Amino acid sequence: VKGVIFNILEDAVTRAHGAATWDALLDAAGSDGAYSSLGNYPDSEIEALVGAAADALAITPEEVLRWFGTAAIPLLAERYAAFFDVQQGTVGFLESLNGMIHPEVRKLYPGAVCPHFGFGVEPDGTVRMIYRSPRRMCALAEGFIAGAAAHYGEEVALEHPTCMHRGDGACTFRVRTRRAALRCESQAA
Amino acid sequence: MSEGQDRIRQLERRLDRALRARAAAEAIAERGLRELYDRQQELELLEATASEASRGLPLDAAVRGALARLCAHGGWAFGRAWLAEPGGARLHCPPEWQVQGSDGAAPLGAAPLVLDAGQGLAGQVLRDAAPAWVPELAAWPDGGPPPAPGLRNACAVPVAAGGDIIAVLEFFRHEPAPADERRLRLYAQVGGELGRAIERWRAEERLREAHAKLDIAIGSMAQGLCLFDAARRLVLVNRPLAEMYGLKPAACAPGQALRDFLAGHADRFEDDAVKEFERLFEDALPEMPAAAKLGLADGRCVALRVSRTPDGGWVATHQDVTAQQRAEARIAHLAHHDLLTTLPNRVKLRERLRQDLSAAKRAGGKLAVLCFDLDRFKAVNDTLGHALGDQLLQKVAARMLACVRDTDTVARLGGDEFAIVQTAPGQPQDAIALAGRIIAELSLPFDLQGHQVVIGTSIGIALAPDDGESTDALLKHADLALYRAKAAGRGTYRFFEAEMDARMQARRALELDLRRGLQAGEFTVFYQPIMNLGTRQPAGFEALLRWNHPQRGLVPPADFIPLAEEIGLIVPLGEWVLKQACRDATGWPAPLKVAVNLSPIQFGGAGPVRAVAAALAESGLDPARLEIEITETVMLADTAATLAALEALKALGVRIAMDDFGTGYSSLSYLRKFPFDRVKIDRSFVSGLDQPTGDAILRAITGLCATLGMETTAEGVETEAQLQQLASATCTDVQGFLFSAPRPAGEVARLLAQLGVPPGGRFRIAS
């Protein structure tokens, strides 16, 4: 996992719960916490941190990841505003992952292993998104989708009909968005 | 622990984390920068190789440049390049393809190196067509010894062009090093660039060679050549053309228009030749060049040929044919003239005669053909030699030319034969006058280097159109007239007369008839008895040839023997007579002899001996019963060979008789040269017996022969009186109509019965 993910996690945790909570998480996970954004760290470290957070909050690791995904989007939008600004909404943003965002990620972080998403549109306009990765971080993806919808001021209806954690070969997300009227103002603020 | 202390410890931990994260980030950044630098270096390396290759450097420089850059880039102590043979069986490394790296520690080889495919590191790379890296040479037994002691690490990459490995790059260093795939890939890329460069270089080399060959070929053509493009602008002028016209380099500058090019050199051509030159450019069609011969102002002649080129231009070739023209003119002259006298020869004479004939025909005029034969020329040649003979012919030619007018043609036909075609209208007076002039001129003595030589000429004249209207007829008729002139005595002329031609025709008909007759078996042998004056009995018969012509009946020998001798038919004819006579004689009672005449023509080499021997062998006749009669003419010919033939005949046991004795110039001398068995006294002496000196001459001959031990036969005995005189003159034998005319073979037995008389009795005369 790239160091930048750890940096964003630290940022999200610190903003939501304070620096002491991050220190406590590091201690609980047995990590030394010196993450450089350019570095590359074993998957086990993020799993340990997620596990420690789940224990502390008495929730599942999936729920931690879902929260992290949602919380990471505003931070990512601060750092990489360009990727967000060129899109009009959640679906456009999701569709630009394969073609624009991940290639840029690979430029900045040589050796980064980015997932490739499959996209399709159902007759009713619902976007079907396929995720397949040995890391099986579909919950993080759910969080990102929710975070993106919030960023674009949209209401999203997300289904997860197939899931690798439930023995499926891949995870499927069905995404339907609708522009929210006023709530977006309050959320963006 | 106080809350403040906790707080400090907490902050220290966070600071420590931040510092370590920064250090890690810096390390990552430095690695990234290094990598960036490496990439930059690699790119520069590839760029340098590619740009150097495209700059058209010589191959050696391009290879050395690539080796030096790779040595510097990879820190190699030594690099070299191997060139693969076509087919890839072996590698060659020239000394100039060995380069030292920065440390300069590895010595360069001075000699070219050779490796088989599969041998050593470079050989393996050639065989496998893949890069190879040897971390430690000492641990790689297949590699053989390193190029210099102490070299431990090596790598090699193939250089490919057009799908083939054309070279291998090989590098060495003193420190062992693990395989560096990335570097190998880079080197392979450099190899690829170099391969393209070598391929291009080879293609350019081939093109250069082709150009060089073309330059040499064009420059060393025998012909001059200039090339114009489709817009008629000069493209090139080859060296021979510049030399042919004496053009300065500036005059040959490409790009000038055809018209300007020609205008600049117009003074070198004869009038209008430049226009002709330019016209050829109009006339030349694709597949159909235009050609012409142009005269130059200095007298030379140039054959010009203009062809279209595939790109719409023109190529003009120029050949100086002056020498050829002159040679052709000379050959034409030689073909029509006599070398010795420079007079027209027979070919030229016929040509002129043809022209003069048609001119005369148009004008309704006449002309004369005079044929000459020099009298006594052979004697001059034989006694004074050919050189003076040739000189004489030249002087004769000069005198003849002095006698004719310009419109007449004097020709030498060969040997001492000359001819004149006289175009004067007043015939035959003009021909008579000319013949008279020439006879007079040529009868005057010639001075040949102090020798006063007198010859003369005989002339035959034919007139057109009276004696013929074709060259053949006129020349033939003049020739016939010449024979008549010669027959009439030397130093005279004769006109052709139709009767001459008739005789010629008759002779020709007779010749054909003779050949046919021999084939058809029309010849026969008659026999005339020879009576012995002592025994009064037939001593034998003379065989005489007769021609029993189906239309003309019996043809007398005098009418055909001379012709048969002339045309050589006498040889088969004579042999036939010989065999027939021998066969017939075997049927007669011994010791009756048969006498057979041999013509002088038959006396060539071993001919007569072989013919006589064959006739004897075939018939089984006793040689002693055969008597061969020869005339004095035989003795006149090559005496040594003739005598040898006579000796050989005599050795066969055959008797030899001298026929027609007394008619030749020096008959007596022949008797001294050869011991004849018999002398036949010519009939003129027998018929002359009634004259006062006749008897004395006869007695002198018979007396002489008796003294020499030769028998004598008198021919042409017709009267009793002659017989009595011959008997008293002690002639041995007699022959003549008094006893019998020549009779066919079938009548010999009857003749013998009639003529046979008892010894001592009177002759009986056959009826």
Side-chain angles (χ1 to χ4, degrees), chain B residues 734-747:
Chain B
V734 288
Q735 182 182 350
F737 277 32
L738 180 61
F739 304 101
S740 170
R743 305 300 305 165
E747 295 181 23

Side-chain angles (χ1 to χ4, degrees), chain B residues 102-436:
Chain B
S102 49
D103 65 1
L108 297 177
L113 306 170
V114 178
L115 275 183
D116 288 332
Q119 193 188 358
L121 181 60
Q124 281 195 10
V125 168
L126 173 68
R127 185 194 59 199
D128 303 339
W133 184 286
V134 182
E136 170 61 273
L137 284 170
W140 190 56
D142 299 347
L151 292 172
R152 295 177 66 183
N153 171 221
C155 78
V157 293
V159 174
D164 292 324
I165 307 291
I166 56 168
V168 175
L169 304 180
E170 196 178 31
F171 301 93
F172 296 88
R173 89 171 106 226
H174 292 95
E175 308 79 28
D180 185 339
E181 292 298 332
R182 183 165 153 184
R183 188 163 289 184
L184 275 184
R185 270 198 305 279
L186 173 70
Y187 290 3
Q189 276 179 291
V190 172
E193 287 295 341
L194 201 57
R196 279 186 284 279
I198 291 175
E199 201 168 21
R200 209 158 38 229
W201 178 83
R202 282 182 173 174
E204 282 166 6
E205 191 69 6
R206 282 194 292 273
L207 204 62
R208 261 197 300 279
E209 275 174 24
H211 275 301
K213 281 179 190 161
L214 199 63
D215 282 348
I216 290 170
I218 289 176
S220 55
M221 281 171 69
Q223 295 164 321
L225 176 142
C226 52
L227 193 63
F228 290 86
D229 65 13
R232 299 196 186 190
R233 284 186 305 259
L234 185 63
V235 177
L236 71 84
V237 166
N238 74 347
R239 190 177 43 75
L241 186 83
E243 285 169 2
M244 190 179 296
Y245 295 108
L247 304 179
K248 293 198 171 65
C252 306
Q256 51 186 317
L258 169 65
R259 187 152 293 192
D260 297 340
F261 178 65
L262 289 178
H265 309 111
D267 58 333
R268 288 185 174 81
F269 293 93
E270 277 181 358
D271 301 342
D272 291 341
V274 165
K275 274 184 203 151
E276 176 80 7
F277 192 146
E278 211 174 347
R279 201 177 50 77
L280 289 179
F281 278 71
E282 308 294 341
D283 292 351
L285 301 172
E287 321 270 323
M288 180 93 150
K293 279 182 184 163
L294 304 183
L296 299 193
D298 61 8
R300 283 182 297 160
C301 179
V302 171
L304 181 64
R305 184 183 161 92
V306 176
S307 315
R308 298 303 301 261
T309 60
D311 60 359
W314 287 265
V315 59
T317 56
H318 307 242
Q319 187 160 20
D320 187 335
V321 291
T322 314
Q324 193 187 325
Q325 290 274 94
R326 285 180 186 153
E328 279 170 8
R330 173 100 184 110
I331 287 166
H333 181 85
L334 285 180
H336 291 97
H337 289 83
D338 168 45
L339 215 56
L340 180 66
T341 60
T342 73
L343 291 178
N345 64 7
R346 189 184 291 273
V347 176
K348 183 74 176 172
L349 177 81
R350 295 175 67 90
E351 193 180 305
R352 291 282 276 276
L353 180 53
R354 201 161 39 240
Q355 291 166 359
D356 291 344
L357 269 175
S358 56
K361 199 169 182 179
R362 278 195 303 275
K366 292 192 169 191
L367 62 78
V369 176
L370 296 84
C371 280
F372 299 79
D373 224 15
L374 299 186
D375 302 329
R376 291 182 294 280
F377 173 71
K378 189 174 180 300
V380 174
N381 235 354
D382 289 349
T383 54
L384 299 181
H386 287 288
L388 289 187
D390 286 352
Q391 224 178 75
L392 175 60
L393 290 171
Q394 288 170 334
K395 293 187 179 222
V396 166
R399 285 194 195 176
M400 282 189 168
L401 282 172
C403 294
V404 299
R405 289 179 303 189
D406 287 348
T407 49
D408 299 340
T409 303
V410 180
R412 181 179 172 220
L413 305 183
D416 60 346
E417 292 174 55
F418 292 82
I420 294 177
V421 175
Q422 190 192 30
T423 52
Q427 298 296 1
Q429 302 84 347
D430 285 341
I432 291 169
L434 178 59

